[in-house]
Every structure is written in structure tokens, then in C-alpha cells.
Amino acid sequence: MKTFTLPGTDMTVPNVVLGLMRIQEMSDDAVRTLVHTAREAGITFLDHADVYGSDSHGCERRFAQAMKLSASERERYVIQTKAGIVKDGPYFDFSYEHIVESVNGSLEALDTDYLDILLLHRPDALVEPEEVARAFDDLSAAGKVRAFGVSNQTPRQLDLLRKYVTQPIVANQLQLSITHAPMIAQGVAANMQGLDQSVVRDDGIVDYCRLHDITVQAWSPFQAGFFDGPFLGSPRHPELNAVIDRLSDKYGVPAEAIAVAWITRHPARMQVVLGTTTPERVAAAALGSDLPLTRPEWYELFRAAGYTVP
Ligand SMILES: NC(=O)c1ccc[n+]([C@@H]2O[C@H](COP(=O)([O-])OP(=O)(O)OC[C@H]3O[C@@H](n4cnc5c(N)ncnc54)[C@H](OP(=O)(O)O)[C@@H]3O)[C@@H](O)[C@H]2O)c1
């Protein structure tokens, strides 16, 4: 497993992460097997959110109840969670009260004294960045949160936050898979009239994150689009799967590893956030951590997914 020091922190982190959004209905044994399989593959970084699960903090609580981590076991994981979505609405809330209350709820549900990383989940149109800064300062001073980041944010939203927040923003979690890659594909086909791929949807977020040492975390790395099922093995993507299968044979790894390698090959040094609840798929995906696809292979996958290389 490839690891690196997460810029803006002193944490050594793997470039593949286990997301725990889908564990609500799993038994204690199943959760333990999933997390232990990830650990054995070097995946010591866990991604949660207050809203994952059927009720508030549901998946965080499910995790803690199944794992029952001792203090020394807890220290071996980087635990990241998120705040800012109010499911009953839905709406977004970056107020001081909401952020602090959510973190306190996560600490209680996760049965831990501290979060390694807190992300603001989705941009709040009514954000008051001074309030966010005050919340971050208080959470940091209380030892409740070690580092801060965001998710699904644009460069200008980040500029606004960074004007007030004193801690480094260390991560931006964004949707990215071979078949859902507008934030990469736009730059490849900039300024082309009549080509949908050329439309700027995120104001150049990948380059912005690289310029400011903000680590991109790729969520839904196997989903074709927005939660509409995986592209691996899907009859909707025959050309892409043919290329993936050929590269799987060449490198002697499962298809999941090729899908992960397409992201880890990007020089922005991204982290891939897996969401599978199947231990075998976690082990398979981990094999893509340090698999250096060649430039022609990377572009062949990109073209086979339907993107234009003008
Ligand atoms: N920041 C955000 O806004 C945001 C949004 C969504 C998710 N996330 C994070 O990202 C993580 C990943 O999201 P995701 O679960 O949508 O991503 P994903 O890893 O792309 O998808 C996993 C889902 O695909 C299924 N699947 C079917 N075939 C698969 C295969 N061959 N390989 C892998 N999975 C296969 C899995 O089923 P099985 O479980 O049966 O294997 C699971 O339901 C979440 O856990 C969460 O931590 C963040």
C-alpha cells in the first residue's frame, strides 16, 4: 500500500481509504471482517459522516459497536468524518452550532475522544465563514479535531473559507471514477464549442487543489454515475470493460484494481474512497494502490469511458 504524509498534517496516510457509508445493516462480525481485511491490505484510513446510516450517526455507531476499539487500537486508524448535511429537509448547515453539535455527536457515536479529520460535507449556500473559523478554532483547541477539510467544494468556495479559517484545509472529497470524471475531462478538451465535456462545472478544482496542497479524495470510484450502479461488468460499458479486462490480465490483478489505479496514477496524489462492503473487493481494490498504468493505458481507459481526446 502506497502511503504519504498528508500535506498540512503529520499523518501518514494510505492512498486507498475505506468508506463506511453502507455498513448500517451489517452484523458485528461482518463489520469487523471488512475493517480487518482493509487493515491487512494497509487501509488504515476510515471515512464516515454523521448522516451515513438510517438514523443520525447510524454508521458511526454501528462501526464503534462492532469494533470496540481500545485506546491503542484507535490510534492505529485515521478516522475522518463529516458534518454539514441536515437529512431532514434536506438542507446544508455550516453554522457554529451545527458543526460543533455534529462533532460532539460523532465523538459519542464513534466512542472516541478525537477525530483525525473533519470535512464539511456539501457547500452551504448560507455559509458565514467567520462562524466556520470559530467552530474550527474551538474544536481544535478542545483537542476534538486534529485537521479540517471539505467535500464537494469549488475553488472560490475554498478561497472564501481559507480567508477566515486559520488551519490548513487538507482535503476536498469529490466524486471521481473513470466514467464520472468531469473535473479531469474538462481540462483535456478546454474551449471546444459544442462539446459538453468542455463545459466548466467546477472552476478547475483539481488544479486548484494541487496548487494549494489540498488532497483530492475520490468518492464513488466504482459508480458509473451518481449512485446508479458500478461500471465494472456493466453491459452499459462494454468497450471500457474490455480494456479493463485486458489490463487486468496484463498486470495479474482483479478489475477493481485497474479502476483504482486509474485514479492513483494521477499525479495529484489522490486518495480513493472505497464504498464496497465486500471484503474480497476491498482486497482486490487495494492492489490498485501502487499500480503504475502507463500514459497510453491511462488515456485508453479515459477514451473507452467515452471521453474525447481532441
Ligand atoms: N463526500 C461525499 O459527498 C460522498 C458521497 C458518497 C460517498 N462518499 C464516500 O465514498 C465512499 C464510497 O462511495 P460509494 O459506496 O458510492 O462508492 P463505490 O465504491 O463506487 O461503490 C460501492 C458500491 O458498489 C457496489 N459494487 C458492485 N460491484 C462492485 C465491484 N465490482 N467493486 C466495487 N463495488 C461494487 C458495492 O456493493 P457491495 O457492497 O455489495 O460490494 C457498493 O454498493 C462511501 O462509503 C463514503 O465514505 C462520500
Side-chain angles (χ1 to χ4, degrees), residues 19-22 47-48 52 82 121-122 151-152 173 219-223 227 230 232 256 273-278 281:
L20 295 162
M21 179 180 76
R22 300 179 187 269
D47 183 66
H48 284 280
Y52 294 164
K82 313 184 195 77
H121 206 154
R122 275 201 178 270
S151 180
N152 305 306
Q173 198 171 105
W219 61 265
S220 286
F222 300 111
Q223 297 295 303
F227 302 131
L232 289 177
E256 287 84 355
V273 189
L274 310 175
T276 176
T277 55
T278 309
R281 287 178 174 156

Side-chain angles (χ1 to χ4, degrees), residues 113-115 138-146:
D113 297 334
Y114 66 96
L115 302 174
D138 286 0
L139 291 168
S140 183
K144 293 181 176 180
V145 179
R146 292 175 68 199

Side-chain angles (χ1 to χ4, degrees), residues 4 28 56 75 127 137:
F4 62 101
D28 286 359
S56 186
E75 282 175 26
V127 61
D137 283 345

Side-chain angles (χ1 to χ4, degrees), residues 23 31 39 54 66 72 101 127 132 135 143 153 158 166 191 227 237-238 247 257:
I23 65 166
V31 171
R39 216 198 133 65
S54 46
S72 64
E101 189 187 308
V127 61
V132 174
Q153 293 218 1
L158 276 159
T166 54
N191 193 33
F227 302 131
H237 298 277
L247 294 174

Side-chain angles (χ1 to χ4, degrees), residues 52-196:
Y52 294 164
S54 46
D55 54 358
S56 186
H57 302 282
C59 287
E60 293 175 333
R61 193 166 287 111
R62 184 82 287 278
F63 167 83
Q65 285 171 348
M67 297 303 295
K68 295 191 172 54
L69 296 176
S70 66
S72 64
E73 285 166 343
R74 159 68 184 95
E75 282 175 26
R76 289 189 218 133
Y77 292 96
V78 172
I79 297 185
Q80 168 175 284
T81 196
K82 313 184 195 77
I85 295 181
V86 180
K87 248 205 246 181
D88 294 335
Y91 63 92
F92 304 132
D93 190 345
F94 285 5
S95 65
Y96 176 93
E97 290 72 22
H98 181 79
I99 293 171
V100 170
E101 189 187 308
S102 169
V103 166
N104 287 334
S106 290
L107 293 173
E108 188 266 319
L110 287 163
D111 193 19
T112 184
D113 297 334
Y114 66 96
L115 302 174
D116 291 290
I117 305 173
L118 174 73
L119 305 185
L120 298 179
H121 206 154
R122 275 201 178 270
D124 175 10
L126 304 181
V127 61
E128 291 175 74
E130 303 91 327
E131 276 204 50
V132 174
R134 192 160 60 86
F136 284 9
D137 283 345
D138 286 0
L139 291 168
S140 183
K144 293 181 176 180
V145 179
R146 292 175 68 199
F148 299 88
V150 299
S151 180
N152 305 306
Q153 293 218 1
T154 67
R156 294 295 82 79
Q157 290 166 337
L158 276 159
D159 278 341
L160 181 63
L161 267 189
R162 291 171 70 236
K163 179 175 173 187
Y164 295 91
V165 167
T166 54
Q167 299 82 5
I169 299 294
V170 303
N172 189 9
Q173 198 171 105
L174 298 155
Q175 185 176 5
L176 177 65
S177 70
I178 310 178
T179 52
H180 186 283
M183 67 184 184
I184 289 175
Q186 189 277 327
V188 174
N191 193 33
M192 296 192 69
Q193 191 162 282
L195 182 68
D196 185 69

